[in-house]
């Protein structure tokens, strides 16, 4: 999952560094992720993982690292499979 | 319409504050009275409203937002915004200076829990009032708060920065400045920190003069700023967080409250013009335009105060402040309040007719008209619409 997230970061994150060189915990905002790009990133993640981010997860923190994105996606999947 | 001379309807400035009513409302009212006395001169000369700001110091209003545990008054956002509204009714420049200072205090108060030097600063500020200016603007970033060109440089044990600021409101009069910069030389443009600079750590070289239509007393000149400071002058939280949780919402709340004050004053003038007209004609014919105007004012007041209450209810919940839905909502406050101000002043002008258009009457709307457009162009509404357009690609909240 993390590799797929990195792939989307590469295509939609508009960050000046190679996502493969970022650790799972690396701060994506420090790496150059802007709030504008984070919206594009979110839309691409929704397409790739066929999920919909709920309003409560549309936070800066949700997109702050590869790990945080993964956790958010898992949370969404857990919630949608429970209903 | 009679051409009454400009009369001050304000009480006299008290010679001493001792023994006076110490309630928040009374403190604010005394400062507002002083603001009113000098408002025309501040506007005409484009000078800093030093009398009103000195009164704010004397009344303890500059450190009001500081919690009581740090020696402050522990005022809430409702009280701060009510003061903005009161000052806006008499002198919009005083309102804006107070508002901008409070934005800076809020940023430090709400994001300094982990920094003993910052808490120490707040204790000192509560004891001896200091006026804090904002150094967030920068030449070459297209007016984007969340983008910096300049960076914090390492200079031995110290840190340094240089910034070209197109405007620093009351930069010459401020005791301290809060300045944005990239975190380090190799940091990206949006990876910013907020630095608290004392005036003696800065060299400010004025690069332009604030010659504006309105808000003339804010003295928002341009400056080249260079500073050398200790590492602990940097607030411990990324500016991205300070901006989204505090600076942006608080800015829109305090500004909208100043604008509500300007609108209230414009409506008051319109009402006075209608009454004077009726008195002269000996017939109490109501003005439907005035009724419409008051309706607009009440709608604006409801919107602004509701936004203040909403912020107060969520301000201690970072998750409730950090959502895109909230960013959109607080941006909408800026859009709607600034447009409402311009509409209300223009409608008031139709009610007063030539008396409001003239500069030498008691119901003149000249200053209000000039100030009102500042609300639309300062952090341009077009830019805010563009930001919301992006956020709306993600947010689905109705």
């Amino acid at each position: 999952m993390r590799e797929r997230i990195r792939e989307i970061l590469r295509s939609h994150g508009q960050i000046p560094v190679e996502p493969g060189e970022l650790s799972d915990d690396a701060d994506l905002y420090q790496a150059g992720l802007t709030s504008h790009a984070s919206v594009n990133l979110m839309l691409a993640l929704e397409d790739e993982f066929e999920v919909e981010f709920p309003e409560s997860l549309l936070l800066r923190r949700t997109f702050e690292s590869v790990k945080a994105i993964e956790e958010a996606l898992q949370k969404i999947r857990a919630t949608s499979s429970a209903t | 319409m009679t051409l009454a001379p400009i009369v001050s309807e304000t009480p006299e400035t008290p010679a001493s504050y001792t023994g006076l009513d110490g309630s928040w409302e009374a403190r604010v009212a005394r400062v507002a009275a002083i603001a009113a006395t000098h408002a025309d001169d501040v506007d005409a000369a484009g000078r800093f409203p030093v009398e009103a700001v000195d009164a704010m110091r004397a009344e303890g209003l500059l450190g009001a937002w500081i919690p009581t545990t740090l020696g402050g008054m522990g005022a809430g956002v409702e009280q701060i915004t009510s003061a903005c509204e009161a000052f806006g009714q008499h002198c919009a420049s005083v309102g804006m200076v107070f508002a901008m200072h409070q934005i800076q205090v809020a940023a430090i108060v709400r994001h300094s829990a982990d920094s003993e030097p910052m808490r120490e600063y707040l204790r000192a500020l509560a004891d001896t009032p200091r006026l804090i200016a904002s150094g967030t603007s920068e030449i070459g970033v297209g007016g984007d708060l969340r983008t910096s060109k300049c960076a914090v440089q390492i200079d031995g044990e110290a840190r340094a920065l240089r910034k070209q600021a197109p405007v620093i409101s009351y930069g010459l009069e401020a005791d301290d400045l809060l300045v944005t910069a990239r975190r380090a030389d190799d940091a990206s443009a949006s990876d910013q920190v907020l630095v608290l600079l004392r005036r003696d750590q800065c060299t400010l070289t004025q690069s332009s003069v604030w010659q504006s239509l309105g808000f003339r007393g804010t003295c928002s000149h341009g400056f080249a700023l260079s500073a050398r400071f200790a590492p602990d002058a940097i607030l411990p939280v990324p500016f991205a967080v300070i901006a989204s949780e505090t600076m942006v919402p608080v800015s829109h709340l305090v500004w909208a409250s100043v604008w509500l004050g300007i609108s209230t004053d414009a409506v008051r003038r319109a009402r006075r013009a209608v009454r004077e007209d009726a008195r002269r004609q000996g017939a109490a014919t109501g003005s439907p335009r005035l009724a419409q105007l008051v309706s607009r004012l009440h709608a604006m007041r409801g919107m602004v105060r509701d936004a203040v209450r909403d912020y107060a209810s969520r301000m201690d919940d970072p998750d409730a402040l950090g959502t895109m839905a909230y960013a959109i909502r607080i941006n909408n406050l800026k859009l709607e309040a600034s447009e409402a101000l311009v509409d209300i002043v223009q409608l008031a002008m139709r009610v007063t007719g030539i008396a409001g258009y003239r500069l030498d009457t008691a119901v003149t709307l000249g200053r209000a008209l000039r100030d009102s457009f500042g609300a639309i162009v300062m952090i341009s509404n077009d830019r805010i619409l563009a930001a919301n357009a992006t956020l709306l690609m993600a947010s689905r909240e109705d």
Side-chain angles (χ1 to χ4, degrees), chain B residues 113-126:
Chain B
D114 298 335
S115 166
E116 180 52 31
M118 290 296 165
R119 284 200 300 275
E120 191 47 50
Y121 174 82
L122 290 173
R123 280 188 209 103
L125 179 64

Side-chain angles (χ1 to χ4, degrees), chain B residues 35-349:
Chain B
T37 306
H38 301 282
D40 285 327
D41 181 51
V42 163
D43 177 58
R47 69 164 178 87
F48 184 68
V50 60
E51 302 86 354
V53 173
D54 281 348
M56 287 175 203
R57 289 181 204 267
E59 296 284 1
L61 300 191
L62 292 185
W65 207 323
I66 299 169
T68 49
T69 49
L70 293 173
M73 285 170 74
V77 66
E78 295 95 336
Q79 287 170 299
I80 299 294
T81 50
S82 73
C84 292
E85 203 182 313
F87 299 153
Q89 292 179 38
H90 300 285
C91 176
S93 289
V94 167
M96 291 305 281
V97 170
F98 178 77
M100 288 187 273
H101 167 81
Q102 297 299 341
I103 298 163
Q104 317 312 311
V105 176
I108 306 171
V109 165
R110 306 216 31 98
H111 301 280
S112 64
D114 298 335
S115 166
E116 180 52 31
M118 290 296 165
R119 284 200 300 275
E120 191 47 50
Y121 174 82
L122 290 173
R123 280 188 209 103
L125 179 64
D127 184 59
T128 311
R130 298 174 72 82
L131 183 67
I132 315 173
S134 168
T136 50
S137 69
E138 187 169 16
I139 291 170
V141 300
D144 182 7
L145 176 73
R146 290 284 293 104
T147 299
S148 283
K149 281 175 75 181
C150 71
V152 173
Q153 310 282 343
I154 293 175
D155 182 3
E157 292 289 293
R159 300 291 180 268
L161 68 83
R162 286 171 180 277
K163 186 169 197 175
Q164 299 290 334
V167 288
I168 298 180
S169 292
Y170 55 92
L172 293 176
E173 291 79 12
D175 300 301
D176 302 310
L177 292 115
L178 265 184
V179 178
T180 45
R182 286 184 298 121
R183 188 173 45 81
D185 220 8
D186 59 355
S188 65
S190 60
D191 184 8
Q192 298 160 292
V193 290
L194 197 56
V195 188
L196 174 61
L197 298 172
R198 298 181 189 237
R199 192 49 193 280
D200 58 13
Q201 297 170 319
C202 304
T203 307
L204 283 176
T205 311
Q206 194 172 336
S207 54
S208 65
V209 176
W210 179 244
Q211 280 293 7
S212 59
L213 271 179
F215 298 136
R216 291 172 52 76
T218 61
C219 296
S220 305
H221 310 308
F223 296 93
L225 178 153
S226 71
R228 201 162 176 279
F229 50 92
D232 62 16
I234 300 170
L235 267 70
V237 176
F239 180 64
V241 173
I242 300 174
S244 70
E245 291 179 12
T246 302
M247 268 197 155
V248 172
V250 170
S251 296
H252 292 334
L253 292 171
V254 291
W255 291 338
S257 298
V258 173
W259 305 338
L260 175 57
I262 301 171
S263 299
T264 305
D265 181 51
V267 172
R268 194 176 291 146
R269 286 167 192 252
R271 182 184 287 125
R272 178 174 174 166
V274 168
R275 287 206 178 151
E276 282 181 3
D277 240 10
R279 205 170 289 136
R280 212 177 42 258
Q281 291 171 1
T285 320
S287 160
R289 267 201 203 282
L290 177 64
Q292 185 189 7
L293 184 56
V294 171
S295 173
R296 287 276 179 87
L297 176 67
H298 288 184
M300 180 187 188
R301 186 179 293 153
M303 170 176 66
V304 174
R305 293 189 180 167
D306 180 62
V308 170
R309 279 192 296 272
D310 180 43
Y311 179 76
S313 72
R314 64 173 71 222
M315 67 189 292
D316 293 322
D317 180 1
D319 284 353
L321 291 173
T323 62
M324 290 185 188
Y326 187 66
I328 292 168
R329 214 175 318 156
I330 202 73
N331 279 348
N332 286 343
L333 172 69
K334 196 278 177 182
L335 290 172
E336 294 299 325
S338 59
E339 300 288 349
L341 167 61
V342 168
D343 287 350
I344 285 170
V345 174
Q346 292 190 39
L347 198 52
M349 185 74 81

Side-chain angles (χ1 to χ4, degrees), chain A residues 29-34 36 38-39 42-43 46 52-53 55 58-61 63, chain B residues 146 183 188 190-191 238 240-241 318-319 322-325 390 393-397:
Chain A
Y29 295 102
Q30 286 192 4
L33 182 66
T34 65
H36 185 270
S38 69
V39 170
M42 187 220 79
L43 294 173
E46 288 192 336
E52 214 174 80
F53 279 82
E55 213 64 47
L58 295 181
L59 290 163
R60 174 185 158 80
R61 248 199 352 253
F63 305 100
Chain B
R146 290 284 293 104
R183 188 173 45 81
S188 65
S190 60
D191 184 8
V241 173
D319 284 353
T323 62
M324 290 185 188
T390 301
M393 296 300 292
S395 176
R396 296 172 188 88
E397 192 185 78

